[in-house]
Structure formats: C-alpha cells, structure tokens
Amino acid sequence: MVGAKAIALDKATVRYPTGGEPALRDVSFEVSEGECVLLTGGSGCGKSTVIRLLNGLIPHVYEAEVSGGVAVFGSDPGHQPLHETGRAVSTVFQNPRTQFFCTDPPSELAFGSENAGADPEGIRARVARVADRMGVSRLAGRSMFALSGGERQRVALASAVCDQPRIYLLDEPTSNLDDSAVEELRASLTRLRDTGATLVIAEHRLHYLRGLVDRVVRMDGGRIAETYRPKDFWGIPEQTRRELGLRSLHPPEAELSHQAADNQPGLVCDHPRFGELRFPRATVTALIGRNGVGKTHTARILSGLEKSSAHVALDGVPLTRRERTRRVFLAMQDVNRQLFGPSVREELALGRPGVSSSAVDDALRRLGIGHLADRHPLSLSGGQQQRLAVASALVEGREVYVFDEPSSGLDYRAMRSVSEVLTNLAGTGAAVVLITHDHELADECAKNLVSLSAPEDSP
C-alpha cells in the first residue's frame, strides 16, 4: 500500500572534489512510503550518488558539495547523525565487503540491533528467523572471510532485514548472484514490499524486477533522463533498449552449450575437487557454478595465488605457482584490491615499464574510460573500476587471462566493450577464463563452458 512521502529530492546537485563535472545535476523525484522504485542507467550515471545522499554517507563519509533539497521522512540525512538515519534506512552496497563489521554471519545480522540497544533475546530470535527466511542459516558456522561474493551479498541483505528499517536502498544487489540466488532475492524483495517497506533499487540487471517495481527512473549523465510506468518500461522495443544502453528486459532463455576442449592446446588444471578442467587457447571459456562452489578459489589456483595440490599445465608443460603468477593475469572480483595507482592512466602504467603511453590511451579508449584518465581509481563507480581492471589486462601481454565477474556494475554498452576485449584477447592466441553469472556476457563472447559442481549438487 503506497502511503505518505518517504523520500524527496528537489533539484539535488552533487559535486565531488575529485571530479570536474557534477555527479548529480538538478535531480528531483519523490518516493512514497511503500513504493518500489528502480534506478537504472549507464555506469557512472549517478545512481550510487543518489543512494549515498539518501543514507547520509554524503556528506558524512564522502566529501561533496551538495545543493538542493534532500529529505527522508521530512529530514535531511546530511544534517542529522548517521546512526539516526540508520534506524530508518538500511543499505545493501554493491561491494558488500565494505559494510561488514563482524567475522561470522549471525553476529553480522545482529550487529545493527545490538548497537540500537535492542533486547538480546529478541535479537537472537529475529536473527534465527531472518537467517532462515533469507537462506543464510546454512552459513552460520562459516567465517565472513571464507564466503564467496554471492554469499556475502545474501548476508548483507539479511543484515538489512534484521535492522527492520522503513526504507531499503539496494545498490546493484545481484552483481555477484547466481540464477537461483537472484530468484531468492526477488522473493525476498516481494515479501518486503508486501510488508509495506519502501524500496529503492539501483540496478543494471533488470529482468528479475519485472512485476515488482512501481516506477522506473532512468538516469543519464547525472540527470533524470526519463521516468516510466512499469508497462511502458518493460515494453521498450529491443533496438531502443540497446540504444539506451540498458541490459536485457527478459530472463535468459538457455544455458551456454558446452564445446569439447579435449586435446586442444591451452591451460589444463587437474583439480583435487573438480577433476580435469580445460581452458583452450584462442577461446573464451565461461567458468560457471553456483555461489560458493569454488570458482574464485579455482581462479586463485590458476593464477598461482593459492596453495593447492592441483597440477596446472600450459600446452602440456607443468607450471609452478611462481610461473603462474608471471604468465597468468587475474582480474579479481573485488577490483578494489588491485587498484593502486594515483590516477587511472598511471594505474595502467604501474609496474609495467615497457608499456607505451599510446597503448595505455588505446586501452582506456577501448573500454570507454578515456575521459576518466586523470581521476583517482577509487573515485570511480563500481562499473568504471571493473572496466579499468579489464583495461589493465589489455596492456599485460600474458598467455592466460582470468576475469572474475568482470561485468559487475556494467550497463549494456560497457558489457559489450568488455566482451569485445575478451574476444580480442582470445584472438591473440591466449586462453581466456571468464568467471560469470552474467548470461548476456557469456552469450556474447564465450565459446566453451566449464561448469563446477560440488558433490552435494549432484542428483
């Protein structure tokens, strides 16, 4: 049931000290209590900045010049303590690792309520109830540091639900989720909406939100480009959808078909858990499997970052861990862990004395981030950081490339540019490993499939 006004932005403009152009320009829209609103648009269009305004992280955590009106239940989050805003507003961030305070899931679920001084018995009962409902009870005995990206995303949403806020802000909540987890997320969001919660979802993966959202706000260049009623948005013609840079409005129709890679030159891993895994040269191979099955762990083995009894060979020649670190390039799922340069341009040249400035500029151009060359890498949006990591691969000149969820936070155009880069890298004769839950990206560029399944997944 839609009720009174929960959120109101009135010509809100935001300018970060690190960027020349405003991140938001004269943005005005309202969200009624109980309404579910989707924010979408190109990578870096301002969606995350809107989220930061509404939860008070701007200006309390992120320094920025703000003008215009910002109101959440009638109060400006920028003018009240963060803990007060946090009682009414919970956020699920694009990178959930940045919002955790505890070392195990149950403690993380309880953290907000404990800080609010809630009754301990009530907290325990709520944690057990929410963990079961949100599908994270099986993670109770695990360390937060041992969880996969998708599992962390589930814990982040369950923690938000435990806090019992009136408003949920979700920034790319499906960025690391497999298909079944996306369906579980949709069911959870539907339950929250049915209880009268207000939902604002900033998202690129769109198909799972059909029938759930009440309104769609498309942003472009820090402005609101258009507001749609659901039937108008889901009815956008396919060609128009691509021209707007939007991801598919329909669920994936079929799994990628498997192409045998036996006896082809390339990377072969004799894995102690999954058996022989083959990644042929001159091919993009999609490495798939459910959240937590071991895809990222396998990527670390292939790149020499993980000690393992696995045997890895390239073109039939065994590779030691040290040799793998030199011959395999890994773009991590959490790209923040491998961005060190003071600027985007210098990031690509860092530790690569033989790379020419023209090669750097070409890589940035091909990934559509040349205009960000002088920005600090950590000032970029999540999708822009992903493209920077892929641009780093372009200037490496390795024989094997491993990309762990490279399309997280990417719109359609950026996803296509990443697909082209992966295809071009394979065209040089390299073995390219693509770890992904993104069917659109896999359909664009992958010609081979390796599917990981744990023994408990077998029928």
Side-chain angles (χ1 to χ4, degrees):
M1 177 70 71
V2 175
K5 189 186 303 181
I7 293 169
L9 296 183
D10 181 18
K11 296 184 179 180
T13 298
V14 176
R15 187 190 299 271
Y16 294 111
T18 54
E21 296 295 319
L24 292 183
R25 307 170 188 238
D26 295 323
V27 170
S28 299
F29 73 90
E30 296 180 354
V31 180
S32 298
E33 194 164 6
E35 193 176 13
C36 180
V37 174
L38 165 64
L39 297 180
T40 192
S43 302
C45 70
K47 301 184 301 297
S48 294
T49 297
V50 170
I51 298 294
R52 292 170 182 172
L53 272 183
L54 299 179
N55 60 21
L57 291 184
I58 293 175
H60 291 298
V61 175
Y62 296 95
E63 181 183 353
E65 178 186 331
V66 180
S67 62
V70 182
V72 175
F73 294 117
S75 299
D76 186 343
H79 295 159
Q80 62 182 19
L82 273 176
H83 69 270
E84 290 185 11
T85 302
R87 292 194 182 104
V89 179
S90 281
T91 308
V92 177
F93 295 99
Q94 182 176 350
N95 182 357
R97 184 179 65 86
T98 62
Q99 70 187 90
F100 292 145
F101 295 91
C102 302
T103 58
D104 63 274
S107 297
E108 187 63 41
L109 266 63
F111 183 80
S113 298
E114 287 178 332
N115 277 273
D119 172 64
E121 286 300 320
I123 293 175
R124 280 190 282 270
R126 188 186 310 141
V127 166
R129 184 172 62 252
V130 170
D132 183 62
R133 192 168 75 233
M134 304 297 290
V136 297
S137 54
R138 65 181 178 82
L139 305 176
R142 302 268 301 278
S143 164
M144 294 293 290
F145 303 104
L147 301 184
S148 71
E151 289 169 334
R152 290 174 181 173
Q153 201 86 337
R154 294 188 191 193
V155 172
L157 180 58
S159 299
V161 173
C162 264
D163 291 342
Q164 298 181 305
R166 297 169 67 185
I167 295 177
Y168 292 85
L169 307 176
L170 298 99
D171 194 357
E172 304 284 351
T174 62
S175 57
N176 300 309
L177 299 185
D178 60 34
D179 291 344
S180 63
V182 170
E183 286 305 310
E184 291 174 10
L185 172 65
R186 177 189 166 83
S188 299
L189 296 178
T190 300
R191 285 194 296 267
L192 291 175
R193 187 194 62 178
D194 291 344
T195 64
T198 303
L199 303 170
V200 178
I201 306 169
E203 183 63 287
H204 287 298
R205 291 174 75 178
L206 304 171
H207 62 82
Y208 76 98
L209 295 170
R210 181 188 292 265
L212 179 63
V213 300
D214 300 303
R215 191 153 41 98
V216 179
V217 176
R218 181 172 65 84
M219 300 185 65
D220 184 26
R223 300 180 185 272
I224 293 179
E226 195 161 359
T227 300
Y228 303 85
R229 293 178 301 174
K231 68 175 184 178
D232 296 328
F233 182 75
W234 301 113
I236 292 175
E238 191 70 5
Q239 183 60 36
T240 303
R241 188 268 300 178
R242 292 192 180 99
E243 290 171 356
L244 293 175
L246 299 176
R247 289 299 206 100
S248 177
L249 304 179
H250 304 281
E253 294 183 359
E255 290 282 353
L256 183 72
S257 60
H258 177 75
Q259 175 178 301
D262 297 343
N263 302 320
Q264 295 183 35
L267 191 72
V268 178
C269 175
D270 185 7
H271 197 290
R273 187 180 185 195
F274 303 115
E276 187 178 82
L277 308 176
R278 288 183 169 270
F279 308 97
R281 282 186 179 272
T283 303
V284 178
T285 299
L287 180 63
I288 66 171
R290 63 170 175 80
N291 288 135
V293 74
K295 300 185 297 299
T296 295
H297 186 263
T298 300
R300 292 175 60 83
I301 291 173
L302 297 178
S303 58
L305 298 181
E306 189 82 29
K307 289 184 178 180
S308 171
S309 60
H311 298 283
V312 180
L314 182 62
D315 302 332
V317 179
L319 297 180
T320 66
R321 279 184 63 206
R322 177 171 292 183
E323 288 171 331
R324 278 175 262 158
T325 62
R326 292 197 300 266
R327 301 177 72 174
V328 179
F329 177 86
L330 172 62
M332 298 180 182
Q333 183 176 15
D334 184 357
V335 294
N336 286 319
R337 296 187 174 188
Q338 61 185 121
L339 298 178
F340 304 103
S343 72
V344 167
R345 178 178 283 109
E346 291 176 89
E347 178 67 40
L348 266 62
L350 190 65
R352 304 179 180 102
V355 174
S356 67
S357 59
S358 61
V360 168
D361 290 339
D362 181 63
L364 296 179
R365 178 189 57 79
R366 290 171 66 181
L367 271 302
I369 52 176
H371 64 292
L372 304 173
D374 296 323
R375 290 268 298 275
H376 193 286
L378 299 185
S379 74
L380 305 181
S381 72
Q384 290 165 342
Q385 289 177 347
Q386 288 286 358
R387 282 184 277 171
L388 177 56
V390 176
S392 298
L394 269 179
V395 298
E396 275 289 331
R398 302 285 181 99
E399 295 176 85
V400 179
Y401 297 88
V402 181
F403 297 91
D404 196 351
E405 298 287 0
S407 61
S408 173
L410 298 189
D411 60 25
Y412 177 74
R413 294 189 188 96
M415 182 272 291
R416 286 292 304 273
S417 67
V418 169
S419 170
E420 290 172 4
V421 167
L422 269 57
T423 300
N424 290 339
L425 287 173
T428 67
V432 179
V433 183
L434 167 64
I435 298 174
T436 189
H437 296 297
D438 188 339
H439 292 269
E440 284 186 87
L441 177 61
D443 287 343
E444 284 277 344
C445 63
K447 304 301 181 185
N448 185 52
L449 174 69
V450 171
S451 180
L452 302 186
S453 60
E456 60 268 24
D457 294 336
S458 303

